[in-house]
Amino acid sequence: MMNNLLVIDTSATLSQVWLTAQCGKFSRETVGERQAAQQVLPLIAEILAEAKLMVSDLNGIAVVAGPGSFTGIRIGIGIAQGLSLSQSIPAIALSSMAASAMTVMAEIEDDHVLICRSARDNEVYFGAYQTSSAEGVVLIGKEQVCAVDEINFPALSSRIAKEWTLVGENHGHAQTVVKTIDIPIKRIIIQPKISLEQVAKLALLRFESAKGTEAAQLKPNYIKDQLDYG
């Protein structure tokens, strides 16, 4: 039974840490943008101290592996690997897009969402998800990074739901996506931040499904095979 679960998210400009423990739930956020390298480990120490736990008391570690800030993702993966290896703690890497889907589904009770985020070079990150009692959310097709007019929406997806909720970072960007893709959208949700409480629930379901991995196998989720921009 996973009583004490640590969640680390360094994929955005502000990093977050979350602890679900037997004695309660604890969270912290970095002060200032892009401070993961300096602040995340001290914040983890703070919430462990508040919960009166040590690293060795953790039953699992989940890290949001991207897509997102390339540097931030690497820092988060490194911290998760270090803590996992030091005490042989099970670990898991989760997609930030799946985490977004999980967050939105909990807020609006919708079973089918599209996640679309700005990437670099006028590209977008895109993924289609549906809810799952066993795994929290399930990816339909694959996560993509491409120009908006190159989004590949699987034929399967159009049969799963007649209309979709689109999750974007801002209204202007979301409206551009809606005008470009040939997918029926019933609502647009602007969601700049994921909920680590929902990430923790996602992680617990994945651990129960035996989808954890060894620390050495934790990898960033860049989506792109070749990173041609720094």
Side-chain angles (χ1 to χ4, degrees):
M1 185 174 180
M2 196 160 289
N3 296 317
N4 303 320
L5 173 68
L6 175 68
V7 182
I8 303 167
D9 178 19
T10 56
S11 65
T13 54
L14 292 177
S15 298
Q16 308 174 77
V17 295
W18 173 277
L19 176 65
T20 296
Q22 284 183 295
C23 58
K25 300 172 182 177
F26 308 86
S27 64
R28 293 287 191 281
E29 184 175 271
T30 54
V31 177
E33 296 184 351
R34 306 191 188 283
Q35 296 297 308
Q38 295 81 12
Q39 297 183 21
V40 168
L41 277 172
L43 292 181
I44 291 172
E46 281 184 23
I47 60 175
L48 286 172
E50 185 177 354
K52 296 181 173 57
L53 296 175
M54 300 178 66
V55 173
S56 58
D57 294 317
L58 294 175
N59 304 117
I61 298 171
V63 57
V64 177
S69 164
F70 292 162
T71 301
I73 291 167
R74 289 193 292 268
I75 292 169
I77 292 288
I79 291 172
Q81 285 179 326
L83 295 175
S84 176
L85 287 168
S86 70
Q87 302 291 334
S88 299
I89 302 167
I92 193 169
L94 300 170
S95 163
S96 60
M97 297 175 72
S100 290
M102 188 81 173
T103 299
V104 169
M105 288 176 180
E107 293 173 353
I108 65 173
E109 297 184 351
D110 199 339
D111 292 338
H112 304 91
V113 301
L114 305 175
I115 307 296
C116 197
R117 293 180 171 180
S118 299
R120 299 189 183 186
D121 291 350
N122 296 316
E123 293 183 324
V124 295
Y125 297 114
F126 179 86
Y129 299 84
Q130 67 175 346
T131 189
S132 165
S133 58
E135 296 188 35
V137 294
V138 173
L139 174 66
I140 303 167
K142 63 180 181 178
E143 293 181 337
Q144 306 165 49
V145 56
C146 57
V148 174
D149 58 2
E150 295 176 353
I151 289 174
N152 179 18
F153 190 62
L156 168 66
S157 303
S158 62
R159 296 196 298 269
I160 288 175
K162 293 182 178 180
E163 294 181 306
W164 293 74
T165 291
L166 176 70
V167 181
E169 294 174 313
N170 60 70
H171 283 287
H173 180 257
Q175 291 291 351
T176 299
V177 173
V178 170
K179 290 177 182 178
T180 306
I181 60 177
D182 185 23
I183 303 171
I185 304 297
K186 61 182 174 183
R187 68 165 71 88
I188 295 174
I189 301 291
I190 303 305
Q191 182 218 64
K193 192 174 179 179
I194 62 178
S195 163
L196 288 201
E197 182 171 12
Q198 293 303 318
V199 177
K201 292 179 181 179
L202 180 61
L204 288 170
L205 287 170
R206 298 291 171 85
F207 275 122
E208 289 173 3
S209 299
K211 293 200 173 182
T213 187
E214 295 181 4
Q217 295 177 322
L218 293 176
K219 294 180 179 179
N221 179 29
Y222 295 135
I223 299 182
K224 255 191 175 180
D225 294 328
Q226 299 295 324
L227 301 180
D228 49 14
Y229 42 73

